[in-house]
Structure formats: structure tokens, C-alpha cells
Amino acid sequence: MLRVISANLNGIRSANNKGFFEWMAEQKPDFVCVQELKAQEANLSEAMMAPAPCKGYFHYAEKKGYSGVGIYTPHEPESVVVGLGVPEIDAEGRYIELVYPKLSVVSVYLPSGSSGDHRQTAKYHFMEHFFAHLADLIARGREVVICGDWNIAHTEADIKNWKGNLKNSGFLPEERAWLTRVLDELQWVDVYRKLHPEATGEGYTWWSNRGQAWAKNVGWRIDYHLASCALAETARQAAIYKDQRFSDHAPLTIDYDFSL
């Protein structure tokens, strides 16, 4: 069994103070893909860099207190791929991949366009390059799982107030159509949706800090595991952990009947 967790931390130091790493240790994970570190290497303690028995691998943003992704695992990879090879994207610390003989594990953090038109343009730029990368990954014929905050709610079932968000970043028709192409044309599988085809409110992974979004479960499902078809077929169970709040996102755990 392979246990893979995706968690947007909205600041690794904040999540650490809220008990994330104690919870993580209890899960006995094989991989924990984290996003939005909001830190550089100098900001991390040894316990945050390598929480036993895991070791962390990171792609930091150049801008301090911004973005950044990582993967924790007790399994030493054959190689580590940092970034997509596009300088303006890689400066924001959005992609890391651990490579094993039979599997690649990716942590990704797509941009949010909610702060203005310039960031929505940057999001579309990322999506264009990432689509080509996703096509290349799937064409290699290896098993891959890509975990992360995609900043897109795919369908009306993935967002509470879909009518009120049709013109907002994260639920724009162009974004949703892009994700449909990723799934239908490239044959990636949305693993949580495969396991829970009818799930609505219980599938949310992010709640705005504004108003009473958490209390009223006015959420979005924007954190995904996207997997190659054969790996997705081995998925056995998925869980979204809401008993503690480490950030404005909830960790998504999926168990796969797969061995490295």
C-alpha cells in the first residue's frame, strides 16, 4: 500500500505551529506533497526539513515568504526534478518531482489569478506550459501521481456557490475547460472523483477565511491527486482531514495498492 498526502500549508511555519508535522507522523505516509511553503531554506528548522523518518525535497520561490513546494518521503528517489524549465515560472517555486524506477511523484502549485488581471495572465501562462509538460509526462508510459493545489474547481459539484463564482478566478470557463482537456485528452485521472463520483460538500478542500465559509462549509475542491490511468485504478480510499485546521486547506490522503 502506498499512502500519498497532498496539503497546501499556507505557510509551513504556521502549519508547524498548528501541529501539522505531529499529525503527519501519525499517518505513516509514503509521500507528503506540500504547497505554499512561504519560506526559504534558511527559515526551516531541521524538524521541518527532515521530520523522521522522512526527508524533505523542496523548490523554493525566489521571493521571500511566497509560494514554494516540497515532498516528504522516507524513500530515497533516483533523481529529483526541480521546476519546469521556464525561468519566470520556476522563480515562483511551483514544481518538484521525485523519480523512482516505477513511479514519479509530483507536488505542484498552480498560480491564483484572484489578485488581478496580471496574475490571471500569469496563471494562463503557467497552464499553457504545464499542459505540454503533462502531455510529455503521460507519454513516457510510467506511473505518475501529481498532487497539489490546482486553484481550479472543475465542475459545479466542486464548489458550493458556483453561480456566484462563474466570473471569478478558479471557476472561469477557460480554466475549467483546460482541466477537462487534461482529463479527457491527456487521460489523467482525478482520483478523488473516481473514488467518489457523486461527492459534493464533503469533497471540499479549501475555505475562504472571509465570513463564515468554514462554519457554513462554503468550500471549493481545488486540491487534487491526478494520476496515470493504471495507478489510479489501484486507488482504494480517499480521506479529507478536517478535525484540525493546519491552514485554509484540508489535507487530502489517498491510499494506492501499489509498491515502489
Side-chain angles (χ1 to χ4, degrees):
M1 190 68 72
L2 204 68
R3 173 159 290 182
V4 184
I5 299 173
S6 186
N8 179 308
L9 301 180
N10 193 15
I12 189 172
R13 289 167 287 182
S14 173
N16 176 55
N17 292 337
K18 294 173 182 175
F20 175 77
F21 287 101
E22 287 83 359
W23 173 82
M24 181 180 123
E26 293 170 358
Q27 307 313 303
K28 296 181 170 55
D30 291 284
F31 297 96
V32 180
C33 300
V34 294
Q35 304 86 41
E36 208 169 355
L37 301 174
K38 291 186 174 181
Q40 278 72 33
E41 183 174 1
N43 305 129
L44 303 188
S45 67
E46 181 62 28
M48 286 185 270
M49 292 280 289
C54 295
K55 177 181 177 181
Y57 301 83
F58 305 98
H59 183 198
Y60 304 103
E62 292 179 5
K63 180 180 176 181
K64 291 184 178 180
Y66 183 72
S67 191
V69 295
I71 303 177
Y72 294 100
T73 180
H75 310 292
E76 186 173 354
E78 286 189 337
S79 61
V80 181
V81 179
V82 176
L84 294 171
V86 183
E88 63 272 24
I89 290 175
D90 294 345
E92 296 189 353
R94 296 192 176 274
Y95 182 93
I96 189 165
E97 174 185 350
L98 303 187
V99 180
Y100 298 85
K102 297 191 295 181
L103 178 71
S104 279
V105 179
V106 174
S107 182
V108 69
Y109 179 37
L110 270 70
S112 168
S114 60
S115 62
D117 290 345
H118 69 295
R119 289 309 300 168
Q120 189 64 37
T121 299
K123 185 175 185 177
Y124 286 141
H125 179 60
F126 183 100
M127 288 161 58
E128 178 184 357
H129 283 280
F130 197 42
F131 189 88
H133 184 73
L134 289 167
D136 178 62
L137 271 181
I138 208 77
R140 295 176 191 174
R142 305 176 71 254
E143 301 312 321
V144 187
V145 58
I146 305 175
C147 300
D149 177 358
W150 293 67
N151 266 314
I152 301 171
H154 186 211
T155 72
E156 294 170 8
D158 298 317
I159 181 172
K160 177 70 170 182
N161 181 21
W162 66 268
K163 289 182 180 178
N165 283 287
L166 288 169
K167 296 183 179 180
N168 290 335
S169 181
F171 199 61
L172 295 173
E174 298 88 344
E175 297 170 332
R176 297 164 59 203
W178 177 86
L179 190 49
T180 295
R181 289 184 61 212
V182 169
L183 300 174
D184 292 353
E185 290 182 26
L186 301 184
Q187 298 295 296
W188 289 92
V189 178
D190 176 353
V191 183
Y192 178 86
R193 186 53 76 203
K194 179 182 185 300
L195 292 170
H196 299 282
E198 306 299 326
T200 53
E202 65 268 30
Y204 300 152
T205 61
W206 176 77
W207 300 260
S208 171
N209 285 323
R210 298 175 183 173
Q212 296 292 312
W214 170 257
K216 296 179 180 178
N217 198 30
V218 181
W220 300 50
R221 190 174 76 92
I222 57 176
D223 300 88
Y224 298 83
H225 287 212
L226 260 57
S228 50
C229 290
L231 180 62
E233 284 297 322
T234 74
R236 295 295 174 256
Q237 61 181 1
I240 298 170
Y241 182 72
K242 303 175 188 177
D243 290 351
Q244 295 168 269
R245 294 207 74 192
F246 307 119
S247 81
D248 51 350
H249 293 250
L252 169 61
T253 301
I254 297 182
D255 291 336
Y256 299 86
D257 189 7
F258 186 89
S259 58
L260 287 178

